[in-house]
Amino acid sequence: FYEWYSISEDAEQVYAPGEVIETEKLSDNLSLSARWKLCPVEISEAKVNENASITLTWTSNDMATGYNVYQKKGSNGQYVLVSQSAETTYTTEAMSDVASTYFYYVVPYVETTVTSGKLQTEGIISEEISIIPDPEQAIAGKVDGVSAVIEQSDVVLTWDTVENISG
């Protein structure tokens, strides 16, 4: 909950992103409004299934209409909306790159009907979680035998060949 405030009929209302507004008309020219953001949910479980899919489960928010799930691949990736649902669980398809790290967060939202259609207002995002579908494969690609030798004004790096890795 943010604050209570009153507005007159001729005042302009400004809505910040992610705010939910409720207004009660007190008289012909005065309304009392409350604004708030939905509290974040907590991701309570993130697990890898036998088929290399990932299942997330999170706590519910009683005021939310639904939840948006965002995912990115790797720490430098861009977050993408991958699910929009009223459920408190999400399961991916089988991940093709099982050695990569995937990051997720969940955002509760409220959906309101307005004259132009539906308006979705997101709340506060959850903590970010990360998961690797097959950590053994991620570790299997590590480099061994790294050495650094100074030759005149250069540093020469060498390492053992890694199987099934190119580039």
Side-chain angles (χ1 to χ4, degrees):
F1 176 75
Y2 273 7
E3 65 184 0
W4 288 102
Y5 62 97
S6 63
I7 57 169
S8 62
E9 199 171 278
D10 58 347
E12 182 179 334
Q13 281 189 294
V14 178
Y15 299 101
E19 288 183 345
V20 176
I21 307 292
E22 289 292 329
T23 303
E24 179 71 28
K25 189 169 184 170
L26 300 176
S27 67
D28 288 339
N29 62 353
L30 183 64
S31 296
L32 182 63
S33 297
R35 63 184 184 173
W36 69 91
K37 284 191 177 192
L38 292 173
C39 292
V41 297
E42 181 180 328
I43 299 175
S44 54
E45 183 179 30
K47 68 176 184 174
V48 178
N49 302 309
E50 286 184 26
N51 68 346
S53 65
I54 296 171
T55 298
L56 303 177
T57 305
W58 56 89
T59 58
S60 67
N61 182 317
D62 293 339
M63 297 184 72
T65 305
Y67 307 92
N68 289 333
V69 179
Y70 293 87
Q71 172 197 47
K72 75 176 180 175
K73 180 179 168 183
S75 58
N76 294 325
Q78 294 286 330
Y79 272 106
V80 175
L81 176 66
V82 292
S83 176
Q84 191 171 61
S85 172
E87 304 298 318
T88 57
T89 188
Y90 166 71
T91 301
T92 68
E93 298 291 323
M95 304 306 254
S96 59
D97 186 356
V98 296
S100 288
T101 303
Y102 294 87
F103 296 84
Y104 295 90
Y105 67 85
V106 179
V107 186
Y109 67 84
V110 172
E111 194 168 81
T112 308
T113 302
V114 293
T115 53
S116 60
K118 298 227 182 245
L119 173 66
Q120 186 185 100
T121 305
E122 286 191 330
I124 301 170
I125 68 172
S126 71
E127 294 281 329
E128 176 187 71
I129 62 103
S130 63
I131 190 166
I132 302 171
D134 188 350
E136 293 298 319
Q137 284 198 25
I139 293 169
K142 69 182 174 116
V143 177
D144 290 323
V146 176
S147 67
V149 177
I150 298 174
E151 293 180 358
Q152 298 175 2
S153 62
D154 295 326
V155 176
V156 177
L157 297 174
T158 59
W159 55 88
D160 296 342
T161 302
V162 179
E163 296 291 319
N164 301 320
I165 301 291
S166 64

Short mmCIF file of all heavy atoms in Angstrom, two decimals, residues 87-137:
data_model
loop_
_atom_site.label_atom_id
_atom_site.label_comp_id
_atom_site.label_asym_id
_atom_site.label_seq_id
_atom_site.Cartn_x
_atom_site.Cartn_y
_atom_site.Cartn_z
N GLU A 87 -2.22 -19.54 -12.80
CA GLU A 87 -1.67 -20.63 -12.00
C GLU A 87 -0.39 -20.19 -11.28
O GLU A 87 0.26 -19.25 -11.70
CB GLU A 87 -1.36 -21.84 -12.89
CG GLU A 87 -2.55 -22.35 -13.68
CD GLU A 87 -3.69 -22.83 -12.80
OE1 GLU A 87 -3.41 -23.50 -11.78
OE2 GLU A 87 -4.84 -22.53 -13.12
N THR A 88 -0.01 -20.93 -10.23
CA THR A 88 1.22 -20.62 -9.49
C THR A 88 2.33 -21.63 -9.80
O THR A 88 3.19 -21.92 -8.97
CB THR A 88 0.96 -20.57 -7.98
OG1 THR A 88 0.41 -21.83 -7.58
CG2 THR A 88 0.02 -19.45 -7.61
N THR A 89 2.31 -22.14 -11.02
CA THR A 89 3.35 -23.04 -11.48
C THR A 89 3.55 -22.86 -12.98
O THR A 89 2.61 -22.46 -13.69
CB THR A 89 3.00 -24.51 -11.15
OG1 THR A 89 4.12 -25.34 -11.44
CG2 THR A 89 1.79 -25.00 -11.90
N TYR A 90 4.76 -23.10 -13.44
CA TYR A 90 5.08 -22.99 -14.86
C TYR A 90 6.11 -24.06 -15.19
O TYR A 90 7.07 -24.25 -14.45
CB TYR A 90 5.65 -21.61 -15.19
CG TYR A 90 6.32 -21.53 -16.54
CD1 TYR A 90 5.58 -21.58 -17.71
CD2 TYR A 90 7.71 -21.40 -16.64
CE1 TYR A 90 6.19 -21.52 -18.95
CE2 TYR A 90 8.33 -21.32 -17.88
CZ TYR A 90 7.57 -21.39 -19.03
OH TYR A 90 8.18 -21.32 -20.26
N THR A 91 5.90 -24.78 -16.30
CA THR A 91 6.85 -25.78 -16.77
C THR A 91 7.25 -25.44 -18.19
O THR A 91 6.39 -25.25 -19.05
CB THR A 91 6.25 -27.20 -16.70
OG1 THR A 91 5.88 -27.47 -15.35
CG2 THR A 91 7.25 -28.24 -17.17
N THR A 92 8.56 -25.41 -18.44
CA THR A 92 9.08 -25.13 -19.77
C THR A 92 8.95 -26.36 -20.65
O THR A 92 8.69 -27.46 -20.16
CB THR A 92 10.58 -24.74 -19.71
OG1 THR A 92 11.33 -25.88 -19.31
CG2 THR A 92 10.82 -23.58 -18.77
N GLU A 93 9.22 -26.19 -21.93
CA GLU A 93 9.44 -27.33 -22.81
C GLU A 93 10.81 -27.91 -22.43
O GLU A 93 11.56 -27.28 -21.69
CB GLU A 93 9.46 -26.87 -24.27
CG GLU A 93 8.17 -26.24 -24.75
CD GLU A 93 7.04 -27.26 -24.85
OE1 GLU A 93 7.29 -28.41 -25.24
OE2 GLU A 93 5.90 -26.89 -24.54
N ALA A 94 11.15 -29.07 -22.96
CA ALA A 94 12.48 -29.64 -22.71
C ALA A 94 13.53 -28.67 -23.24
O ALA A 94 13.42 -28.18 -24.36
CB ALA A 94 12.61 -31.00 -23.40
N MET A 95 14.52 -28.37 -22.43
CA MET A 95 15.56 -27.41 -22.80
C MET A 95 16.56 -28.09 -23.73
O MET A 95 17.07 -29.17 -23.41
CB MET A 95 16.27 -26.88 -21.56
CG MET A 95 15.32 -26.25 -20.55
SD MET A 95 14.28 -24.98 -21.27
CE MET A 95 15.04 -23.55 -20.61
N SER A 96 16.85 -27.46 -24.87
CA SER A 96 17.80 -28.05 -25.81
C SER A 96 19.25 -27.80 -25.40
O SER A 96 20.13 -28.60 -25.70
CB SER A 96 17.55 -27.50 -27.22
OG SER A 96 17.69 -26.10 -27.23
N ASP A 97 19.50 -26.69 -24.71
CA ASP A 97 20.85 -26.37 -24.25
C ASP A 97 20.90 -26.60 -22.75
O ASP A 97 20.71 -25.69 -21.96
CB ASP A 97 21.19 -24.92 -24.60
CG ASP A 97 22.63 -24.57 -24.28
OD1 ASP A 97 23.36 -25.43 -23.72
OD2 ASP A 97 23.04 -23.44 -24.58
N VAL A 98 21.15 -27.84 -22.36
CA VAL A 98 21.06 -28.23 -20.94
C VAL A 98 22.26 -27.79 -20.12
O VAL A 98 22.24 -27.88 -18.90
CB VAL A 98 20.84 -29.75 -20.78
CG1 VAL A 98 19.49 -30.15 -21.38
CG2 VAL A 98 21.98 -30.54 -21.41
N ALA A 99 23.32 -27.29 -20.77
CA ALA A 99 24.50 -26.86 -20.02
C ALA A 99 24.47 -25.36 -19.71
O ALA A 99 25.33 -24.87 -18.99
CB ALA A 99 25.76 -27.19 -20.81
N SER A 100 23.48 -24.63 -20.24
CA SER A 100 23.39 -23.19 -19.99
C SER A 100 22.64 -22.89 -18.70
O SER A 100 21.87 -23.71 -18.21
CB SER A 100 22.66 -22.50 -21.14
OG SER A 100 23.46 -22.48 -22.29
N THR A 101 22.89 -21.70 -18.17
CA THR A 101 22.17 -21.23 -16.99
C THR A 101 20.97 -20.42 -17.45
O THR A 101 21.10 -19.53 -18.30
CB THR A 101 23.09 -20.35 -16.11
OG1 THR A 101 24.25 -21.11 -15.76
CG2 THR A 101 22.37 -19.91 -14.85
N TYR A 102 19.81 -20.73 -16.89
CA TYR A 102 18.58 -20.00 -17.19
C TYR A 102 18.17 -19.23 -15.95
O TYR A 102 18.26 -19.74 -14.83
CB TYR A 102 17.48 -20.97 -17.61
CG TYR A 102 17.78 -21.65 -18.93
CD1 TYR A 102 18.51 -22.83 -18.97
CD2 TYR A 102 17.34 -21.10 -20.12
CE1 TYR A 102 18.82 -23.44 -20.18
CE2 TYR A 102 17.63 -21.71 -21.34
CZ TYR A 102 18.37 -22.88 -21.35
OH TYR A 102 18.66 -23.49 -22.55
N PHE A 103 17.74 -17.99 -16.14
CA PHE A 103 17.32 -17.12 -15.05
C PHE A 103 15.83 -16.84 -15.19
O PHE A 103 15.33 -16.69 -16.31
CB PHE A 103 18.09 -15.80 -15.11
CG PHE A 103 19.57 -15.95 -14.91
CD1 PHE A 103 20.41 -16.28 -15.96
CD2 PHE A 103 20.12 -15.77 -13.65
CE1 PHE A 103 21.77 -16.42 -15.78
CE2 PHE A 103 21.49 -15.91 -13.45
CZ PHE A 103 22.31 -16.24 -14.51
N TYR A 104 15.15 -16.76 -14.04
CA TYR A 104 13.71 -16.52 -14.04
C TYR A 104 13.33 -15.53 -12.94
O TYR A 104 13.99 -15.46 -11.91
CB TYR A 104 12.94 -17.82 -13.75
CG TYR A 104 13.09 -18.86 -14.82
CD1 TYR A 104 14.12 -19.80 -14.76
CD2 TYR A 104 12.20 -18.91 -15.88
CE1 TYR A 104 14.26 -20.76 -15.76
CE2 TYR A 104 12.34 -19.87 -16.87
CZ TYR A 104 13.36 -20.78 -16.81
OH TYR A 104 13.51 -21.72 -17.78
N TYR A 105 12.24 -14.80 -13.18
CA TYR A 105 11.54 -14.08 -12.12
C TYR A 105 10.07 -14.07 -12.46
O TYR A 105 9.68 -14.27 -13.62
CB TYR A 105 12.12 -12.69 -11.85
CG TYR A 105 11.94 -11.66 -12.95
CD1 TYR A 105 10.77 -10.90 -13.06
CD2 TYR A 105 12.97 -11.40 -13.84
CE1 TYR A 105 10.64 -9.94 -14.04
CE2 TYR A 105 12.84 -10.44 -14.82
CZ TYR A 105 11.67 -9.71 -14.91
OH TYR A 105 11.53 -8.76 -15.88
N VAL A 106 9.23 -13.87 -11.44
CA VAL A 106 7.78 -13.91 -11.59
C VAL A 106 7.21 -12.59 -11.09
O VAL A 106 7.66 -12.06 -10.07
CB VAL A 106 7.17 -15.09 -10.79
CG1 VAL A 106 5.65 -15.12 -10.93
CG2 VAL A 106 7.78 -16.41 -11.24
N VAL A 107 6.22 -12.06 -11.80
CA VAL A 107 5.59 -10.80 -11.42
C VAL A 107 4.07 -10.99 -11.36
O VAL A 107 3.46 -11.39 -12.35
CB VAL A 107 5.90 -9.68 -12.45
CG1 VAL A 107 5.36 -8.34 -11.96
CG2 VAL A 107 7.38 -9.59 -12.74
N PRO A 108 3.45 -10.71 -10.20
CA PRO A 108 1.99 -10.76 -10.14
C PRO A 108 1.41 -9.56 -10.90
O PRO A 108 2.05 -8.52 -11.01
CB PRO A 108 1.68 -10.66 -8.65
CG PRO A 108 2.84 -9.91 -8.09
CD PRO A 108 4.03 -10.29 -8.92
N TYR A 109 0.21 -9.73 -11.44
CA TYR A 109 -0.44 -8.60 -12.11
C TYR A 109 -1.93 -8.58 -11.81
O TYR A 109 -2.52 -9.58 -11.40
CB TYR A 109 -0.20 -8.62 -13.63
CG TYR A 109 -0.85 -9.76 -14.38
CD1 TYR A 109 -2.18 -9.70 -14.79
CD2 TYR A 109 -0.13 -10.91 -14.70
CE1 TYR A 109 -2.77 -10.74 -15.48
CE2 TYR A 109 -0.71 -11.95 -15.39
CZ TYR A 109 -2.03 -11.86 -15.78
OH TYR A 109 -2.61 -12.90 -16.47
N VAL A 110 -2.51 -7.40 -12.01
CA VAL A 110 -3.96 -7.20 -11.91
C VAL A 110 -4.42 -6.79 -13.29
O VAL A 110 -3.81 -5.94 -13.93
CB VAL A 110 -4.32 -6.11 -10.89
CG1 VAL A 110 -5.80 -5.78 -10.95
CG2 VAL A 110 -3.94 -6.53 -9.49
N GLU A 111 -5.50 -7.41 -13.77
CA GLU A 111 -6.05 -7.06 -15.06
C GLU A 111 -7.38 -6.34 -14.84
O GLU A 111 -8.23 -6.82 -14.10
CB GLU A 111 -6.27 -8.33 -15.89
CG GLU A 111 -6.50 -8.06 -17.34
CD GLU A 111 -6.42 -9.33 -18.15
OE1 GLU A 111 -7.42 -10.06 -18.18
OE2 GLU A 111 -5.35 -9.58 -18.73
N THR A 112 -7.52 -5.19 -15.46
CA THR A 112 -8.71 -4.36 -15.31
C THR A 112 -9.30 -4.11 -16.69
O THR A 112 -8.56 -3.91 -17.65
CB THR A 112 -8.32 -3.00 -14.68
OG1 THR A 112 -7.57 -3.25 -13.50
CG2 THR A 112 -9.53 -2.18 -14.36
N THR A 113 -10.62 -4.11 -16.77
CA THR A 113 -11.29 -3.80 -18.03
C THR A 113 -11.45 -2.29 -18.12
O THR A 113 -11.95 -1.65 -17.20
CB THR A 113 -12.67 -4.48 -18.10
OG1 THR A 113 -12.47 -5.90 -17.97
CG2 THR A 113 -13.35 -4.19 -19.42
N VAL A 114 -10.98 -1.72 -19.23
CA VAL A 114 -11.14 -0.30 -19.51
C VAL A 114 -11.85 -0.17 -20.85
O VAL A 114 -12.05 -1.16 -21.55
CB VAL A 114 -9.76 0.42 -19.53
CG1 VAL A 114 -9.14 0.43 -18.15
CG2 VAL A 114 -8.82 -0.21 -20.52
N THR A 115 -12.23 1.05 -21.21
CA THR A 115 -13.01 1.23 -22.44
C THR A 115 -12.29 0.73 -23.68
O THR A 115 -12.92 0.26 -24.62
CB THR A 115 -13.38 2.71 -22.63
OG1 THR A 115 -12.18 3.48 -22.56
CG2 THR A 115 -14.36 3.17 -21.58
N SER A 116 -10.97 0.78 -23.69
CA SER A 116 -10.22 0.35 -24.87
C SER A 116 -9.83 -1.13 -24.83
O SER A 116 -9.14 -1.62 -25.70
CB SER A 116 -8.96 1.20 -25.03
OG SER A 116 -8.14 1.07 -23.90
N GLY A 117 -10.27 -1.86 -23.80
CA GLY A 117 -9.93 -3.28 -23.70
C GLY A 117 -9.53 -3.66 -22.30
O GLY A 117 -10.20 -3.30 -21.33
N LYS A 118 -8.41 -4.36 -22.17
CA LYS A 118 -7.92 -4.79 -20.86
C LYS A 118 -6.61 -4.09 -20.55
O LYS A 118 -5.76 -3.93 -21.42
CB LYS A 118 -7.73 -6.30 -20.82
CG LYS A 118 -9.01 -7.07 -21.04
CD LYS A 118 -9.14 -8.15 -20.03
CE LYS A 118 -10.40 -8.93 -20.30
NZ LYS A 118 -11.34 -8.82 -19.26
N LEU A 119 -6.45 -3.70 -19.30
CA LEU A 119 -5.23 -3.05 -18.83
C LEU A 119 -4.61 -3.97 -17.81
O LEU A 119 -5.24 -4.37 -16.83
CB LEU A 119 -5.55 -1.70 -18.19
CG LEU A 119 -4.39 -0.99 -17.51
CD1 LEU A 119 -3.34 -0.57 -18.52
CD2 LEU A 119 -4.91 0.22 -16.74
N GLN A 120 -3.34 -4.33 -18.04
CA GLN A 120 -2.62 -5.18 -17.10
C GLN A 120 -1.60 -4.35 -16.34
O GLN A 120 -0.77 -3.68 -16.94
CB GLN A 120 -1.92 -6.31 -17.85
CG GLN A 120 -1.29 -7.32 -16.92
CD GLN A 120 -0.49 -8.37 -17.66
OE1 GLN A 120 0.72 -8.28 -17.72
NE2 GLN A 120 -1.16 -9.35 -18.21
N THR A 121 -1.66 -4.41 -15.02
CA THR A 121 -0.74 -3.66 -14.17
C THR A 121 0.09 -4.65 -13.37
O THR A 121 -0.45 -5.40 -12.57
CB THR A 121 -1.52 -2.73 -13.21
OG1 THR A 121 -2.39 -1.90 -13.99
CG2 THR A 121 -0.58 -1.86 -12.42
N GLU A 122 1.41 -4.64 -13.61
CA GLU A 122 2.29 -5.56 -12.91
C GLU A 122 2.66 -5.02 -11.54
O GLU A 122 2.74 -3.80 -11.34
CB GLU A 122 3.58 -5.79 -13.70
CG GLU A 122 3.40 -6.67 -14.91
CD GLU A 122 4.72 -7.08 -15.52
OE1 GLU A 122 5.71 -6.32 -15.43
OE2 GLU A 122 4.78 -8.19 -16.09
N GLY A 123 2.89 -5.93 -10.60
CA GLY A 123 3.34 -5.59 -9.27
C GLY A 123 4.86 -5.61 -9.18
O GLY A 123 5.56 -5.40 -10.17
N ILE A 124 5.36 -5.89 -8.01
CA ILE A 124 6.80 -5.92 -7.75
C ILE A 124 7.34 -7.29 -8.15
O ILE A 124 6.73 -8.32 -7.86
CB ILE A 124 7.07 -5.63 -6.26
CG1 ILE A 124 6.52 -4.25 -5.89
CG2 ILE A 124 8.56 -5.72 -5.95
CD1 ILE A 124 6.52 -3.96 -4.41
N ILE A 125 8.51 -7.32 -8.80
CA ILE A 125 9.07 -8.58 -9.28
C ILE A 125 9.60 -9.42 -8.12
O ILE A 125 10.00 -8.90 -7.09
CB ILE A 125 10.17 -8.37 -10.34
CG1 ILE A 125 11.42 -7.74 -9.73
CG2 ILE A 125 9.67 -7.53 -11.50
CD1 ILE A 125 12.61 -7.69 -10.69
N SER A 126 9.59 -10.74 -8.33
CA SER A 126 10.14 -11.67 -7.34
C SER A 126 11.66 -11.61 -7.37
O SER A 126 12.26 -10.99 -8.24
CB SER A 126 9.69 -13.10 -7.65
OG SER A 126 10.35 -13.57 -8.83
N GLU A 127 12.27 -12.31 -6.45
CA GLU A 127 13.72 -12.51 -6.50
C GLU A 127 14.03 -13.31 -7.76
O GLU A 127 13.25 -14.17 -8.17
CB GLU A 127 14.20 -13.31 -5.28
CG GLU A 127 14.04 -12.59 -3.96
CD GLU A 127 15.14 -11.58 -3.71
OE1 GLU A 127 16.27 -11.78 -4.19
OE2 GLU A 127 14.85 -10.57 -3.05
N GLU A 128 15.17 -13.04 -8.37
CA GLU A 128 15.61 -13.79 -9.54
C GLU A 128 16.19 -15.13 -9.07
O GLU A 128 16.88 -15.18 -8.06
CB GLU A 128 16.69 -12.99 -10.27
CG GLU A 128 17.30 -13.70 -11.45
CD GLU A 128 18.47 -12.92 -12.02
OE1 GLU A 128 19.53 -12.86 -11.35
OE2 GLU A 128 18.32 -12.37 -13.11
N ILE A 129 15.89 -16.19 -9.81
CA ILE A 129 16.51 -17.49 -9.52
C ILE A 129 17.23 -17.95 -10.78
O ILE A 129 16.90 -17.52 -11.89
CB ILE A 129 15.49 -18.56 -9.04
CG1 ILE A 129 14.42 -18.86 -10.11
CG2 ILE A 129 14.82 -18.12 -7.76
CD1 ILE A 129 14.68 -20.14 -10.80
N SER A 130 18.21 -18.82 -10.60
CA SER A 130 18.91 -19.39 -11.75
C SER A 130 18.95 -20.91 -11.60
O SER A 130 18.96 -21.43 -10.49
CB SER A 130 20.33 -18.83 -11.86
OG SER A 130 21.10 -19.19 -10.73
N ILE A 131 18.97 -21.58 -12.75
CA ILE A 131 18.99 -23.04 -12.73
C ILE A 131 19.69 -23.53 -14.00
O ILE A 131 19.56 -22.93 -15.06
CB ILE A 131 17.55 -23.61 -12.60
CG1 ILE A 131 17.57 -25.11 -12.33
CG2 ILE A 131 16.70 -23.25 -13.80
CD1 ILE A 131 16.24 -25.66 -11.87
N ILE A 132 20.45 -24.62 -13.86
CA ILE A 132 21.12 -25.27 -14.99
C ILE A 132 20.46 -26.64 -15.16
O ILE A 132 20.51 -27.45 -14.23
CB ILE A 132 22.63 -25.44 -14.74
CG1 ILE A 132 23.28 -24.09 -14.47
CG2 ILE A 132 23.30 -26.15 -15.92
CD1 ILE A 132 24.73 -24.18 -14.01
N PRO A 133 19.84 -26.90 -16.32
CA PRO A 133 19.16 -28.19 -16.49
C PRO A 133 20.05 -29.41 -16.25
O PRO A 133 19.62 -30.39 -15.68
CB PRO A 133 18.65 -28.14 -17.93
CG PRO A 133 18.51 -26.69 -18.20
CD PRO A 133 19.63 -26.02 -17.45
N ASP A 134 21.31 -29.37 -16.71
CA ASP A 134 22.22 -30.50 -16.49
C ASP A 134 23.58 -29.96 -16.07
O ASP A 134 24.46 -29.74 -16.90
CB ASP A 134 22.34 -31.34 -17.76
CG ASP A 134 23.13 -32.63 -17.51
OD1 ASP A 134 23.73 -32.79 -16.43
OD2 ASP A 134 23.14 -33.48 -18.43
N PRO A 135 23.77 -29.74 -14.76
CA PRO A 135 25.04 -29.16 -14.30
C PRO A 135 26.25 -30.00 -14.65
O PRO A 135 27.35 -29.48 -14.84
CB PRO A 135 24.87 -29.07 -12.79
CG PRO A 135 23.46 -29.38 -12.49
CD PRO A 135 22.84 -29.98 -13.70
N GLU A 136 26.07 -31.32 -14.76
CA GLU A 136 27.20 -32.20 -15.11
C GLU A 136 27.75 -31.85 -16.50
O GLU A 136 28.94 -31.84 -16.71
CB GLU A 136 26.78 -33.66 -15.07
CG GLU A 136 26.44 -34.16 -13.67
CD GLU A 136 27.62 -34.09 -12.72
OE1 GLU A 136 28.76 -34.42 -13.13
OE2 GLU A 136 27.41 -33.67 -11.57
N GLN A 137 26.86 -31.56 -17.45
CA GLN A 137 27.33 -31.18 -18.79
C GLN A 137 27.98 -29.81 -18.78
O GLN A 137 28.90 -29.55 -19.52
CB GLN A 137 26.18 -31.21 -19.79
CG GLN A 137 25.82 -32.62 -20.19
CD GLN A 137 25.01 -32.65 -21.47
OE1 GLN A 137 25.07 -31.74 -22.29
NE2 GLN A 137 24.24 -33.70 -21.64
#
